[in-house]
Amino acid sequence: MPTPGKKALLIVDMQHGLFYAPQQPFGAEKLLANINILISRARDKNAPIFAARHTGPEGSPLAESSPLTQLIPQLAIDAESDDVFVKRYPNCLRDTTLLASLQQAGIEELVICGMKTEYCVDTTCRAAADLGFQVTLISDAHSTTDNGLISASQIIAHHNQTLSGPFVQLATTADAEF
């Protein structure tokens, strides 16, 4: 059996504009609690922690300086030791500092959590797998909102099932290891 590669935690878009939107994400309190558990576990094992902030063009509600793009304060991110980076696309690896940072740190496995399931979480899981990373999606630590056609819980379940196998290995917060 191959030796597991070096792991990092990637937290996607846990920011004001999504977490505190008029329609809160499904299971918001549990989502936050689970991500903070993952942060604590990653720290205990000295695994690097990366947190993405999604931004848009200057002058838009998602301008980089906008409060909507700032990480929520309840997230246990340490600005001194964790790598917080800005992205402009659903793929956390596209035109960001993330890929170079992962390569420099010798990361082979990404543990992914955050928001929104069907957008940035899904896109990043697929892109990371395409780039050769082993990806673990934390099935109870990503979320979204109802979309008018199906419920957030259905979206989450669908993506857990669809991504599992070809793109990710699923784990729960309780089973996640670093």
Side-chain angles (χ1 to χ4, degrees):
M1 178 175 243
T3 305
K6 190 171 177 188
K7 293 183 183 182
L9 176 62
L10 174 57
I11 304 158
V12 181
D13 301 346
M14 287 294 292
Q15 59 196 58
H16 282 273
L18 295 175
F19 196 79
Y20 293 115
Q23 186 181 13
Q24 278 229 296
F26 175 78
E29 288 181 27
K30 185 70 172 167
L31 171 68
L32 179 59
N34 284 349
I35 292 174
N36 280 335
I37 289 168
L38 294 168
I39 291 169
S40 177
R41 282 210 199 121
R43 269 209 189 95
D44 288 347
K45 297 291 185 177
N46 293 316
I49 299 168
F50 297 88
R53 293 177 42 226
H54 190 87
T55 65
E58 281 307 312
S60 76
L62 290 180
E64 192 170 332
S65 61
S66 167
L68 297 176
T69 70
Q70 304 307 307
L71 297 177
I72 60 172
Q74 302 90 331
L75 193 63
I77 290 296
D78 180 345
E80 299 291 318
S81 61
D82 301 330
D83 188 336
V84 177
F85 66 96
V86 170
K87 67 181 185 62
R88 294 188 180 276
Y89 302 98
N91 175 357
C92 287
L93 297 153
R94 179 180 173 189
D95 296 338
T96 67
T97 58
L98 180 60
L99 182 58
S101 296
L102 295 172
Q103 291 169 334
Q104 184 175 23
I107 300 300
E108 296 174 2
E109 298 184 46
L110 281 176
V111 176
I112 297 178
C113 59
M115 292 185 60
K116 279 183 131 178
T117 298
E118 70 275 36
Y119 296 111
C120 299
V121 170
D122 174 273
T123 304
T124 299
C125 285
R126 292 171 189 260
D130 285 349
L131 289 171
F133 291 96
Q134 292 180 358
V135 180
T136 300
L137 176 60
I138 305 301
S139 62
D140 59 356
H142 65 92
S143 190
T144 190
T145 56
D146 296 348
N147 70 11
L149 293 176
I150 57 177
S151 70
S153 64
Q154 290 172 311
I155 294 167
I156 293 164
H158 168 81
H159 280 76
N160 283 340
Q161 182 178 16
T162 301
L163 293 170
S164 181
F167 301 103
V168 306
Q169 176 180 26
L170 290 178
T172 63
T173 299
D175 294 332
E177 294 180 6
F178 290 91

